[in-house]
Amino acid sequence: EGLRHVSELLYISLEIVRLELLTYGSDTEHLKLSITDVQVDCQLPGRAALDSTVGLLGKEQPPAVILASDGDNAFLRLSLQRGATSSSDLVIPHAEVCFDAIDLVIDDGWVEPLVAWLEEAALQDEGPQGLSVQDLLDEAARPITDGFERPLLPSIVQVEDLQISPIALTVWCHLRLSSLVCLPHYLRAAFQVLSLSGVLSLNGAK
């Protein structure tokens, strides 16, 4: 097997991550998580190293910043309240998730390498498939109750009140339709007819 080129694809930066766990007696716990800012950079060569991602997909070089929070509030605020139970079940009387405005850039320059890496990782995780004939014959002579152990009941997560804030997402997209293999053929054909080209483009779509 030949040598493979190794390069850094994505770099994720989180700023001011704060985690709080408050306990009120033995009955209630309150978990708070906040992340002030987030930014994801594509580290591949040929990307424009600019602070702003807006309106750069029409330029010769795509932006290096492909995801960034863009607002006055924290990027993520998570609040969970946990009540006491007599079992291993998890009861959450109240949960709240808030997101700030997000700018997202999607282009073939980083999507295709990421998909290729995921496919390669999935192939490496696959072990031997199926059973041999001898294994089937050996198992056929054994009762299915031999060695059987009753599995434990799974824990239940119950959320009584869940609040998720609206997400302001601005998307800049420039993808070749041929790379959208995850979409059915008829959807790709519809996009091609509507766009009159083989490219799907979104400029600041919200």
Side-chain angles (χ1 to χ4, degrees):
E1 185 177 354
L3 295 177
R4 291 178 294 180
H5 177 67
V6 179
S7 61
E8 186 177 2
L9 178 58
L10 300 177
Y11 178 84
I12 302 176
S13 173
L14 302 176
E15 294 186 8
I16 310 182
V17 180
R18 179 177 298 142
L19 179 64
E20 296 182 49
L21 179 60
L22 305 176
T23 303
Y24 303 98
S26 59
D27 296 333
T28 307
E29 292 180 342
H30 193 180
L31 175 67
K32 295 181 180 180
L33 171 65
S34 66
I35 301 175
T36 303
D37 290 299
V38 62
Q39 181 170 309
V40 180
D41 300 340
C42 178
Q43 300 293 91
L44 297 177
R47 315 282 302 196
L50 299 177
D51 295 334
S52 177
T53 63
V54 179
L56 292 179
L57 282 179
K59 307 297 182 180
E60 294 182 358
Q61 289 184 324
V65 180
I66 61 174
L67 186 146
S69 54
D70 183 22
D72 299 328
N73 300 318
F75 161 70
L76 170 64
R77 286 177 295 155
L78 173 65
S79 176
L80 298 176
Q81 294 180 5
R82 179 179 181 272
T85 61
S86 58
S87 63
S88 59
D89 297 341
L90 181 61
V91 177
I92 301 177
H94 178 75
E96 184 176 357
V97 183
C98 299
F99 289 96
D100 198 8
I102 302 172
D103 286 346
L104 175 63
V105 174
I106 305 175
D107 61 80
D108 296 296
W110 68 268
V111 171
E112 290 185 351
L114 179 61
V115 171
W117 177 78
L118 292 174
E119 291 177 347
E120 183 179 356
L123 291 175
Q124 291 179 352
D125 290 340
E126 290 184 356
Q129 301 296 320
L131 297 174
S132 65
V133 175
Q134 187 58 46
D135 291 335
L136 290 175
L137 294 176
D138 294 340
E139 293 296 328
R142 293 177 53 193
I144 61 174
T145 55
D146 283 0
F148 174 79
E149 295 182 2
R150 186 176 62 180
L152 298 176
L153 293 176
S155 299
I156 298 176
V157 178
Q158 177 180 338
V159 181
E160 299 177 354
D161 180 25
L162 174 61
Q163 297 181 5
I164 301 178
S165 67
I167 301 175
L169 181 64
T170 304
V171 179
W172 305 84
C173 177
H174 188 83
L175 290 171
R176 293 189 301 271
L177 293 178
S178 58
S179 64
L180 298 178
V181 294
C182 58
L183 295 180
H185 180 268
Y186 60 86
L187 281 182
R188 281 180 283 168
F191 282 134
Q192 187 169 6
V193 171
L194 294 175
S195 61
L196 300 178
S197 68
V199 176
L200 173 63
S201 296
L202 297 174
N203 294 320
K206 296 186 178 180

